[in-house]
Amino acid sequence: MSDPATTWPEGVARHVLPRSSSTNSDALRLAPQIEGKAWIITHDQFQGRGRRGRDWEMPKGNFAGSLALRPDGEPGQAALYSFVAALALADAIAAVAGPSARLALKWPNDVLLNGGKVAGILLESSGQAGRVTALAVGIGVNLFAAPPADKSAAFAPVSIREETGITVSPEDFLDQLAPAFAEWESRLLSEGFEPIRKAFLARAARLGEIITARTGTAEITGRFEGIDASGALILATAAGRQAVPAADVFF
């Protein structure tokens, strides 16, 4: 995979908002009105959301943005955009943080920098008749400062500036992220999920090691063997191989 180009992808709009309650909410409102795709970022997101209804805090100088698009497909296909976003984030962070940054992807939606959580992804969608007609790919990156640690989280938060000494603006980060996302999305649409799956596993944290997946109703511990064609986590447990479609993972 080549380094992300810095050329803005063709047919993709760009909106920079001084303030937003949630860029994902903005993206879902905007999606039905656009022909192509649109990135929305803000300098002040005051009601950001994480997975499972958690709050996403945004210290000043960090990145909060969403890509609005209209995939018009099944929910399972739309869910694969989480892996596209993770790979694009890894490329963009590597481009701005330099070769000394140790990056890894934590299934299903986090990016780790030097062992701490530096970025997260949240997909939200709307549609009808079993089809996703509007998709928001929400992304938060600790560019400047890490938010307060959450005792229930699997990893302590870190920021690019605090870990590497490098300061990058949200606009400059988007200049790296948008082309990287377009490149990985192009591969998904032209080649299917398999190259995305392989690229994700090549960067996956703790592949081959014992991890615990908490689904909200169960806790499953086993060896992390990979992800399947739907993006589900594959664990080798005492009861056999299990596919876990959604969970929080702890190492």
Side-chain angles (χ1 to χ4, degrees):
M1 184 73 182
S2 60
D3 291 335
T6 55
T7 302
W8 188 262
E10 185 177 354
V12 179
R14 174 188 183 118
H15 303 278
V16 181
L17 307 179
R19 199 162 191 255
S20 169
S21 60
S22 162
T23 59
N24 259 18
S25 296
D26 292 332
L28 287 176
R29 283 193 294 269
L30 180 63
Q33 308 168 31
I34 59 177
E35 292 295 327
K37 305 177 182 70
W39 278 101
I40 302 167
I41 69 170
T42 184
H43 290 281
D44 181 9
Q45 180 175 253
F46 54 92
Q47 289 181 348
R49 299 186 292 273
R51 291 181 71 245
R52 301 181 184 271
R54 300 186 184 100
D55 293 333
W56 180 274
E57 295 192 44
M58 182 192 170
K60 187 176 181 180
N62 285 357
F63 180 90
S66 300
L67 179 64
L69 64 160
R70 301 170 62 182
D72 191 24
E74 297 178 353
Q77 181 69 18
L80 301 181
Y81 273 86
S82 179
F83 298 95
V84 170
L87 290 167
L89 267 173
D91 283 348
I93 294 171
V96 301
S100 63
R102 294 185 295 108
L103 293 167
L105 302 180
K106 176 178 171 284
W107 183 93
N109 69 333
D110 294 337
V111 181
L112 306 180
L113 170 62
N114 297 343
K117 179 174 175 176
V118 72
I121 301 158
L122 177 66
L123 301 190
E124 294 183 301
S125 64
S126 60
Q128 56 187 354
R131 308 286 288 181
V132 173
T133 56
L135 179 65
V137 182
I139 291 173
V141 186
N142 300 330
L143 297 178
F144 190 79
D150 180 353
K151 292 182 180 179
S152 66
F155 292 89
V158 298
S159 76
I160 291 175
R161 182 186 65 86
E162 292 162 335
E163 290 295 313
T164 69
I166 295 170
T167 299
V168 57
S169 71
E171 289 90 344
D172 287 345
F173 185 77
L174 182 60
D175 285 339
Q176 297 290 338
L177 177 61
F181 191 100
E183 186 175 349
W184 284 110
E185 182 192 24
S186 176
R187 293 199 66 183
L188 174 69
L189 297 177
S190 63
E191 302 175 47
F193 183 56
E194 184 59 16
I196 307 299
R197 188 186 73 85
K198 288 182 177 179
F200 186 93
L201 288 174
R203 308 186 194 190
R206 302 298 177 90
L207 183 64
E209 298 183 20
I210 302 298
I211 64 174
T212 296
R214 297 175 184 169
T215 67
T217 59
E219 183 172 294
I220 306 165
T221 297
R223 180 173 291 103
F224 176 17
E225 290 197 337
I227 57 177
D228 67 14
S230 71
L233 179 73
I234 302 299
L235 293 180
T237 74
R241 296 177 89 242
Q242 294 192 40
V244 183
D248 288 326
V249 167
F250 294 81
F251 297 158

